[in-house]
């Protein structure tokens, strides 16, 4: 049984940093893991993905240069380090997993191809 449990959300001011974590269990050792977010009134969007087999990473344009995705193989924990946060980053952030499959379209791998999801963690950035 797959479980994804996020933690680390919170409230920060513009320019601040947050680190999100996602504790994963029941997943194969290699596969595509990712972070998505849904802002109020907007559709869910991809933020960053990592394929644990090669550690290849993929980022949305809005995340490039500010966010870093990583995976600790020993702890099977996915992380998202977010720096220089902006009010536009305010959203509920979700970690997701594709099981054993790759991020075959990079950051464009559709959310519908991720069968496993965490419950989400709120990130609020105030100006």
């Amino acid at each position: 049984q797959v479980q994804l449990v996020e933690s680390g959300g919170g409230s920060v001011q513009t320019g601040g940093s947050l680190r999100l974590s996602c504790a994963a269990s029941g997943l194969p050792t290699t596969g595509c893991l990712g972070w998505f977010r849904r802002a109020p009134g907007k559709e869910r969007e991809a933020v960053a993905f990592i394929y644990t087999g090669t550690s290849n990473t993929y980022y949305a344009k809005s995340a490039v240069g500010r966010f870093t995705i990583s995976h600790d193989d020993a702890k099977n924990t996915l992380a998202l380090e977010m720096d220089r946060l902006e009010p536009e980053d305010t959203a509920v952030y979700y970690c997701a997993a594709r099981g054993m499959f790759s991020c075959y379209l990079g950051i464009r791998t559709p959310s519908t191809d991720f069968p496993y999801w965490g419950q989400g963690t709120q990130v609020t950035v105030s100006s």
Side-chain angles (χ1 to χ4, degrees):
Q1 184 177 355
V2 175
Q3 271 196 318
L4 301 174
V5 181
E6 300 102 333
S7 60
S11 298
V12 294
Q13 292 189 324
T14 298
S17 298
L18 280 174
R19 180 180 175 87
L20 306 182
S21 294
C22 176
S25 60
L27 287 171
T29 53
T30 59
C32 182
L33 302 174
W35 290 96
F36 292 81
R37 68 185 183 186
R38 187 192 297 272
K42 294 187 178 181
E43 292 188 355
R44 182 171 54 193
E45 62 176 354
V47 177
F49 299 160
I50 185 168
Y51 179 62
T52 59
T54 59
S55 296
N56 284 352
T57 57
Y58 310 91
Y59 293 94
K61 288 183 181 179
S62 60
V64 171
R66 300 189 302 128
F67 296 0
T68 303
I69 189 171
S70 61
H71 181 257
D72 184 325
D73 293 343
K75 297 180 180 178
N76 207 5
T77 299
L78 181 70
L80 185 68
E81 184 73 37
M82 303 186 294
D83 299 317
R84 293 187 282 136
L85 284 162
E86 303 165 352
E88 293 73 24
D89 297 314
T90 295
V92 178
Y93 284 70
Y94 301 88
C95 74
R98 290 203 71 219
M100 61 182 287
F101 302 105
S102 69
C103 312
Y104 69 104
L105 289 177
I107 198 61
R108 295 187 300 275
T109 304
S111 62
T112 50
D113 284 353
F114 288 77
Y116 308 109
W117 293 81
Q119 80 286 358
T121 185
Q122 177 70 46
V123 171
T124 303
V125 185
S126 57
S127 57

